[in-house]
Amino acid sequence: MLTSKAWLRRFARKSSALGIASVLGLFAGSTFALPAQASSAALVKEATFTYSCAAGLLQAQTTIEVKISTPDTVSGTATVTWSLPALTLAQAPAAGSNAHLKVSGKLAATQGGTPADLAYTGTAAITTTAVAATTMTSTVTVSGTSGSNLILKPHTDPLILSLSTTGAPTSNCTTTDTDTLTVPIGTGGGTGGAENEVWYKCTGVNTGDEDVELNVTLTMPTSAKANEETSIGWSATNATTDGGQLKAPTGMTGAQKVFVELSVVGAGLSTGTGEGSITAVTAGSPITLPSVSVKVKPTTTGTVTVKPGPLKIGTSATAATINCALDTAQTNLKSYTFTVAAGTGGGSTTTPTPTPTTPRPTTTKTVVVTETPKTPIGKVTKTPKAGAETGGGGEMGPDGRNFVMAGTAMILAAGVGGLMMRRRRSVRG
């Protein structure tokens, strides 16, 4: 149940948008489907710093490695993830003390931003000397320009380990590590809303936990190209500490996954989805969300507008326990943009370059063709099947009828000659 402070704050903001919400509510959807093949690997930048921790809370002086990671590009307010290894305490907390691990730490930035201090109180109660590996988050406000870098390094102040119980010993961890974490700054800077806060309506949570407020930061790609895959960074933290937190419901424990959807409009895109792993959750406690890489593949050049979308939490996208849809009462949802340039892989935005080919050698062949003399027009060269087949006829050479006609002509000529000779003799006589 939201406390009175959170409820009043949420009610004041919602009441101002109630008129618009009644119209927008007609178009709202409560769930979304994510493809089973969504990638689970978030694209991140990371560095590992070595700390020396004094005895006190810990059993003895111990050297530990702390991994610091961010999305592969940052802008606006970016999430910094701290990964602490398993620890061994000097002694187990007193029975019934409900002790939790506390971690305080700092990072310094040599350029590009201002890191916030880490202030973490673990969600799992400690009852033995064994403390499991811990994942924590802080934030950094990015102030550098697009195309430059954010550079983080360990602060000179120690990393302090303690318990939440009164009078618990502490162990200070110091480092002389000179390594840095260098992260490219993208074209962040959202527009529309004044804050990164996103309101959700969630199902699958405990009664009273349905209204959730998360600080969501989207990191835009800096060199997107048409027909080439690129990634959008997504990170989120609980926006309030007095209510409205995303909490694990009764019965949900252990490792989970978060499935994120974004509205990605422009350059042939409409949506984008991504998947990230949650190390562990504790029923009834706020959920620490990982950074997620949402991969998209523009098909044309142009400007892309990106907004936060729904999310799911569970062991799979098709059987998620928690389903969070955007609260339609929020009318100033922050949007981001990035530009897609022409790619090199072909498509509607590029002109293919012809590939030169090596001429093949020409092979010349001489073919002797014997043609059958053509038959003069009007002559019959073949006897129809239905006619009398009396021999080769014209196909076998000169026709016998020619000889008959020639002989007839000769007889007629001889006859005419004979008559002329008789007439001359009669005249003389």
Side-chain angles (χ1 to χ4, degrees), residues 68-71 78-82 107 115 136-140 152 181:
I68 307 296
S69 60
T70 68
T79 298
V80 179
T81 301
W82 304 59
L107 290 174
M136 310 156 288
T137 59
S138 62
T139 60
V140 57
L152 301 175
L181 173 60

Side-chain angles (χ1 to χ4, degrees), residues 40 254-259 275-278 290 312-317 320:
S40 61
Q256 303 290 327
K257 291 183 178 180
V258 58
F259 305 93
E275 174 185 326
S277 297
I278 302 173
K312 292 183 176 184
I313 296 176
T315 55
S316 70

Side-chain angles (χ1 to χ4, degrees), residues 248-261:
T250 302
M252 176 183 275
T253 57
Q256 303 290 327
K257 291 183 178 180
V258 58
F259 305 93
V260 176
E261 180 177 323

